[in-house]
């Protein structure tokens, strides 16, 4: 069994808006940015990669022979919050940055999730860690 998820990938045409959302609103540390290809952020022990979808669908270069990849339509990422208080803090931060709350729901096990959309319309969830015991 693998140890953990090392990278999570989302796709966005507008990398500047993606950098604002994940870097400013979510306060993720920027690792690197290529102006037309990608923007990468540190998240705990993993990395959140945001690729321009049309470019990542092409084969990599000889220096970076990455296989083509991509997705169509909105993706999804969920960030774990330690508890209800931390989730409430994220909710407030999102509202302060004028990010519309798409859904705030309580799951059958009592855990709560808050959903928003990033500028590329990817679904971004903030969930109490207890969602997946």
């Amino acid at each position: 069994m693998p140890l953990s998820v090392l990278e999570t990938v989302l796709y966005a045409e507008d990398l500047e808006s993606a950098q604002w959302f994940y870097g400013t609103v979510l306060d993720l540390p920027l690792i690197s940015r290529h102006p037309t290809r990608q923007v990468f952020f540190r998240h705990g022990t993993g990395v959140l990669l945001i690729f321009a979808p049309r470019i990542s669908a092409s084969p990599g270069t000889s220096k970076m022979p990455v296989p083509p990849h991509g997705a169509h339509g909105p993706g999804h990422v969920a960030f774990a919050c330690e508890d209800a208080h931390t989730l409430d803090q994220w909710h407030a931060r999102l509202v302060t940055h004028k990010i519309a709350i798409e859904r705030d729901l309580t799951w059958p096990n009592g855990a709560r999730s808050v959903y928003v959309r990033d500028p590329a319309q990817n679904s971004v969830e903030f969930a109490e860690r207890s969602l997946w015991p």
Side-chain angles (χ1 to χ4, degrees):
M1 173 185 299
L3 295 176
S4 65
V5 175
L6 182 62
E7 300 172 344
T8 299
V9 178
L10 294 174
Y11 297 90
E13 292 287 347
D14 183 347
L15 296 176
E16 190 70 35
S17 292
Q19 185 171 345
W20 170 79
F21 181 82
Y22 291 98
T24 301
V25 177
L26 302 193
D27 201 27
L28 297 180
L30 180 69
I31 295 173
S32 70
R33 162 101 193 260
H34 182 280
T36 60
R37 185 174 184 80
Q38 77 249 347
V39 58
F40 296 165
F41 298 95
R42 171 68 56 199
H43 182 261
T45 60
V47 177
L48 176 63
L49 310 173
I50 312 290
F51 284 108
R54 286 179 277 181
I55 293 174
S56 67
S58 301
T61 65
S62 60
K63 287 174 61 175
M64 296 292 271
V66 177
H69 57 80
H72 300 282
H76 173 75
V77 63
F79 295 102
C81 296
E82 190 61 39
D83 53 28
H85 176 71
T86 306
L87 185 59
D88 287 339
Q89 290 175 323
W90 275 108
H91 188 287
R93 181 180 178 95
L94 293 162
V95 169
T96 297
H97 281 90
K98 298 183 177 20
I99 305 299
I101 305 301
E102 184 174 25
R103 183 129 330 121
D104 187 332
L105 63 90
T106 301
W107 295 96
N109 72 353
R112 193 170 131 234
S113 291
V114 171
Y115 291 84
V116 299
R117 295 283 170 171
D118 74 5
Q121 296 306 299
N122 291 300
S123 175
V124 180
E125 177 183 3
F126 299 83
E128 291 180 45
R129 184 178 298 278
S130 61
L131 176 61
W132 295 106

